[in-house]
Amino acid sequence: MADGPHSLKSSGENNEPLKTFIKKSWDCIVPALYNIEPLLDHLIANNLLQVNDRSEILAEKTPQQKARKLLEIVYCQLDERSTFVFIDCLKKCQHQYPRLKEWLMEGPDIHRGPSEQKLRKQSHELCNRLGSLVTPISMKLFSRELLNPHELELIQNEVTTYSQCQKLVAVCLGKGEKACSSLYKAILEEDQFLSYEIDAHPPTEEDDTLSWQFQQANKEQTSLSQVPKSILCSSPDCARAVEETWPVLNRMSLEDSGISGSMVSNTEFLNLREETYVSMPESKQETGPQNLQSLPVEENQQALLHEAMQLFQIDASSGMSLNICKLGVALGLPRDTVMNYLLALETADDLSQLRALIDWFMENIGDSERLKLRMRMCDRKRMELSQRGKLLLELLQQACQMQYSEEEDMHPAVIVQFILRDCLTEVQEELPFQQPNLGLVDCLQELQKNSRVDPLIVQELQEIWNEIELSNLQQSVISVAQLVRDTFPLVHPSEHEGMFLSKRQYKCYQRSVQRVTAFKGLPVTAVRRVFTSKHSAARTAEFSDSVCRQYEDLCFKILKVLYRIKGQHSANHGTNLDNAQLSGHDLANAIHNVLSEPEFACSLFDSGVRSRILTLLDYKSILVHVPYLLTLHCNTTSLLADYLKRSESHSFQFCFEDIHIFHDVAAFHNLYSIKDPVAIDNGIEEVFRFRVSEQASFVVRLYCRGYIDRKAFKCQEPASYLFHSTQESILREAQDLGTVIAVERQCVWLRRNVEEDLKARLEKLLPDSQSGYIEEGSCCFLIKPLSTECDVRFIFKDNAISAKAERDADVL
């Protein structure tokens, strides 16, 4: 066995930069892989290792020898592409290997061809604009043997054209320069007009050299400010999404930056948009994004900011993608304090908020070591946003750009109204069946009533939007952005956080709304047939451009799947629709009519999904002005496709109420489902993971709810009682009356046995109210974890809830 990288073959290193990168980092990787099994599981799942390879690696005696054996297999047996997948697997489980975090962030210095660089930068625009062209382009690449049958099938199985484009771009980027160049060539062959607009000829080495020289010339400018990402439309007839990563309050056009159309082409600008720095008037520098080296902070705070940027993977191009307020709370600051400070800023991007948070901490606390320690303990995943949240923040940037638009009939307040309505859909558990057309002020009033929404944000927005004026948008961006960040965290739907109530007592708070209905889902094959079908409906002038065609196709597929749901009762609806010639107006009316049927009532179908479909129709008219809205509509369609899949989680849920932990120092963090509910043995089972700060026993109370044969039910059996008394003799007597779950000081938790009136018997032990009292509650279990994490299986069967240990726990 090789003891290190020097005994391995070294031929072809220049052609295999990833493997060379691993070889040079050998001494860094070996000691970091102290627990190699999670990584092996990922590698087997991605077909990089066989089971016998796993056995051979685990047969080594020490962790270092196991790591060396794995790296030997990677270096000697895997090709360059498989090595890329190996590094990707390391990234997926990097939380297991904290010593490799910086190494993974650095990455290898690999030269990428001009087409590959261009495709990486244009991927967002291409996914928005290819539309139905993705099918013939994929077939061209397949016929030229650049796609294999499996990759072609993966692309075609995606439910929307946008996601098909995403998959196609990802596959081409994974294959390198040749595949990327062939993709641009296929676009040119299929649609010369589109190719001209995006400058889709495969770039040459001369283009790449010119782009590099232009970057170097501009980097020498003394006054620095980063150019925001923008994709400019060269034709007024073409609907195009505009992407910007810098905060919406900091805008700068090409003319402001000193770059004229005659100096640089679209291709060169796209190549430059992430790296180029140009001079800017002093008035712009006051409010625009600044280079890291010019940030007005002391040297110590500069070092802290740099470390924080590495820890949370934030750079100048991050835009709005994290909830920095969550970081402030994790640092130990009150949420109100953090929120007030962030809302007072002039920009909403992650970097500005991170810098401001560090400044505030150092000015008021002044302990840099304490700050660094707490930042290292923070989990970045707790700050991440869902895909829907990121798309809404991009849309908010679009609204701000409309301030400078010449279109007078399109007010940016409509976009803010769309965002607020989407936030309301996300947080409100039951939306009205006859959904009113809520205006901007109406949305704010409804949000104010919701306990999931921070009242400080809503109050701020209400004061700003008392009158609908264009200047209000600029004032409200920070608040709207924070509302989106709070509303759309990246979480599992079942995740509950611990909300501290008092010493040892935590209330379980579900981070996202989970609506339970009688809907069971559709067969996967039926969903796939609907969303992969092609539609060639009647075309009108209203739907002349590609964006509107894609919108019409989405509406047709939604209508078809709604008829399929309704067709569970009358089977002819779906077949009659296949050859229908419907205009856009007819499609909208048909969808409205179907959703008004009793089959889509709140108890039978998710009211949030229904609300988003109606929103898709209500904002159709602004697509011409804001084509990026189509991306939100594609996301709505994807969410609908996911919801339609059969799952017990549609009609059943375990609901956790509170947790009492038996430890003065330990804290309850969170719990979440690690396996979806499964119907088996005339019952339903689901496994949950509990996380605490210290190994400590705790009591959890819960109930379950759902639908059986379209009838709602709620089960709290076997019920439990918390018996309080100051007299030890009474407490001892109480313990003889029921199943004792736990005892603490002057309290005892008891579980009622079947058909037993435990409460009446307990009440007889209390001669008066001064002797004690009784709290009646839901089903209750004592969990004794063997570490800070444990898994417990909960079972609903025969109208009662039971629990048993799944991993690292004892359960009573």
Side-chain angles (χ1 to χ4, degrees), residues 212-227:
W212 180 85
Q213 291 173 346
F214 191 85
Q215 292 177 38
Q216 297 305 312
N218 280 283
K219 284 183 180 179
E220 293 173 0
Q221 299 292 331
T222 56
S223 180
L224 302 179
S225 181
Q226 189 174 14
V227 176

Side-chain angles (χ1 to χ4, degrees), residues 737-761:
L737 298 180
T739 302
V740 178
I741 301 171
V743 179
E744 184 189 42
R745 298 188 181 95
Q746 299 174 350
C747 305
V748 57
W749 282 264
L750 297 166
R751 182 182 298 135
R752 183 178 67 192
N753 296 324
V754 181
E755 297 180 356
E756 178 185 52
D757 192 359
L758 180 58
K759 184 176 181 180
R761 299 173 65 186

Side-chain angles (χ1 to χ4, degrees), residues 366-411:
D367 190 340
S368 60
E369 291 303 317
R370 184 178 179 185
L371 176 59
K372 285 195 287 186
L373 178 63
R374 293 199 173 184
M375 286 196 303
R376 290 167 186 168
M377 294 172 63
C378 292
D379 184 359
R380 186 182 188 274
K381 289 184 178 180
R382 310 296 295 175
M383 303 157 56
E384 292 181 5
L385 308 181
S386 67
Q387 180 66 17
R388 183 91 182 175
K390 293 177 182 178
L391 293 176
L392 287 171
L393 290 175
E394 289 283 349
L395 184 62
L396 181 60
Q397 294 184 7
Q398 297 285 314
C400 283
Q401 183 140 5
M402 287 171 58
Q403 294 181 80
Y404 310 107
S405 172
E406 295 179 358
E407 300 288 346
E408 296 180 357
D409 60 335
M410 183 58 225
H411 199 290

